[in-house]
Amino acid sequence: MDHSSCPVCGKPLTQLYKLRFSVFRCNSCALLHSDAEFEHSFESDLESTSRDIGLKKLRLANFDIIIKELQKLKTSKNTRLQGLEIGCGNGWWLETCRSNDIDCTGIEPEHIYEHYHQANGLKVIYGFYPEVSPKKEGGYDFIIFNDVFEHIPDINGLVDSLRKDLSDDGILIINLPMSTGFFYRMATFQHKFGFNSNLTRMWQFNFHSPHMNYFNEQNMKLLLDKHSFDCLSVLKLNTLDFSSINERILADKGVNKAKAALMTTSLLLLKPVILYSEPDIKVFFFRKK
Ligand SMILES: [Zn+2]
């Protein structure tokens, strides 16, 4: 894959630094882009129990915000909304949809959550989008990405497929971490002092599916505008539930308990700064022009 020009605006990329993979920046639109590769050889490196305690409350609260906005944008009450979630992971979004009377099918390349999907009666198709995705006549009412869009290598090819799979007034929802957020900035700051682990973690370079791009609000809108999508709204989502930070940090197998405790304390001290800075996660709602 070509890493010399920006996948959003086409201008040249400049290398910023090299961790396990190189990170480039577009001098025109400020997209951060990596030459990382998806590694098929190993599975997710997350302790599922710690992960569940830490993340579930936070994710469900964010999903509630997204559902409310989706219902506001899709006002037609006549039919049940039908959607697709690309990269549905554990299936929590699918469960949220079901409890809100929304019909959503998940597409997921990994099988690690298959028993959970089956036990909970969730509709999941295993494989990569768009190859395995079921076609819906007239297109889907919505397609959503929850912490997945930043992992996709060919974003332009992806958005072309999304246009074809959405109905004329279908909504594209992208929920993703931001390069302008507090945690990304803090990791970049630490990197300048020679501490690379947080930045490596932000890019997930030690995981089998690393981040390919880090967006800000402007270049995310620019990418979708290029593919003829209008941005309807952008909402801030919550990054941290301060009561479960420790479990979240421990969910990464490489972190020992003492180090996790130290990081938890520092984050609690920084809480006022985090709450008032630029959000770490945003969710975008787009519609075809
Ligand atoms: Zn650019």
Side-chain angles (χ1 to χ4, degrees):
M1 214 177 157
D2 172 36
H3 301 291
S4 62
S5 59
C6 173
V8 171
C9 74
K11 300 275 162 52
L13 293 171
T14 312
Q15 184 168 347
L16 279 184
Y17 46 78
K18 187 167 176 9
L19 300 164
R20 190 175 167 205
F21 300 102
S22 290
V23 172
F24 306 87
R25 183 178 187 277
C26 171
N27 293 327
S28 178
C29 76
L31 179 81
L32 298 175
H33 175 80
S34 83
D35 62 0
E37 274 165 30
F38 187 90
E39 216 164 308
H40 293 270
S41 57
F42 58 100
E43 286 225 313
S44 294
D45 186 24
L46 288 170
E47 291 280 7
S48 61
T49 49
S50 288
R51 187 191 158 100
D52 284 6
I53 302 163
L55 278 180
K56 192 157 191 177
K57 221 171 102 189
L58 175 73
R59 299 301 294 283
L60 294 185
N62 282 339
F63 289 165
D64 265 350
I65 296 174
I66 298 174
I67 290 270
K68 287 205 173 68
E69 185 68 13
L70 175 63
Q71 287 170 335
K72 204 172 95 187
L73 295 169
K74 299 290 294 178
T75 45
S76 157
K77 296 275 183 283
N78 308 338
T79 51
R80 195 166 174 235
L81 290 182
Q82 279 192 296
L84 206 57
E85 182 184 21
I86 297 171
C88 64
N90 48 34
W92 291 341
W93 166 261
L94 302 180
E95 287 183 87
T96 307
C97 284
R98 187 166 57 191
S99 53
N100 284 277
D101 197 29
I102 291 171
D103 178 9
C104 190
T105 301
I107 309 277
E108 173 58 44
E110 290 199 46
H111 287 267
I112 50 168
Y113 294 107
E114 193 170 356
H115 62 283
Y116 185 86
H117 297 152
Q118 281 175 355
N120 290 280
L122 301 172
K123 276 198 289 182
V124 178
I125 293 159
Y126 300 92
F128 285 90
Y129 177 85
E131 288 83 35
V132 299
S133 114
K135 299 290 167 229
K136 181 183 174 296
E137 201 173 326
Y140 286 93
D141 298 313
F142 71 93
I143 299 180
I144 185 166
F145 292 82
N146 290 302
D147 294 323
V148 167
F149 197 84
E150 64 277 18
H151 296 271
I152 310 276
D154 177 15
I155 46 177
N156 288 296
L158 171 71
V159 179
D160 280 341
S161 301
L162 295 170
R163 259 194 87 81
K164 291 184 198 126
D165 281 336
L166 279 164
S167 68
D168 286 344
D169 62 347
I171 309 277
L172 171 62
I173 307 169
I174 303 174
N175 157 11
L176 83 176
M178 300 271 93
S179 63
T180 41
F182 173 80
F183 285 102
Y184 193 86
R185 285 167 184 240
M186 187 172 76
T188 306
F189 179 76
Q190 289 172 316
H191 169 74
K192 291 195 172 120
F193 287 89
F195 300 101
N196 295 333
S197 60
N198 270 351
L199 200 54
T200 297
R201 191 181 152 76
M202 294 301 289
W203 280 97
Q204 301 192 8
F205 283 160
N206 288 335
F207 293 85
H208 75 303
S209 174
H211 288 189
M212 307 306 298
N213 296 291
Y214 251 100
F215 293 86
N216 63 27
E217 186 170 331
Q218 291 71 32
N219 53 38
M220 173 50 67
K221 288 177 178 168
L222 191 63
L223 171 70
L224 274 294
D225 180 69
K226 190 173 85 176
H227 293 273
S228 297
F229 280 88
D230 271 328
C231 185
L232 304 172
S233 52
V234 184
L235 304 178
K236 167 193 168 171
L237 293 179
N238 302 310
T239 319
L240 284 178
D241 168 6
F242 282 91
S243 62
S244 58
I245 289 179
N246 204 41
E247 287 92 341
R248 260 195 89 175
I249 291 169
L250 277 176
D252 186 348
K253 277 180 187 165
V255 177
N256 71 42
K257 289 207 161 73
K259 204 173 151 197
L262 187 68
M263 277 171 76
T264 305
T265 313
S266 343
L267 286 172
L268 287 174
L269 289 172
L270 284 168
K271 185 174 169 178
V273 182
I274 295 168
L275 291 178
Y276 291 102
S277 57
E278 184 66 9
D280 289 283
I281 311 175
K282 288 185 182 176
V283 57
F284 295 76
F285 296 80
F286 295 98
R287 184 150 53 203
K288 284 189 218 175
K289 282 185 186 177

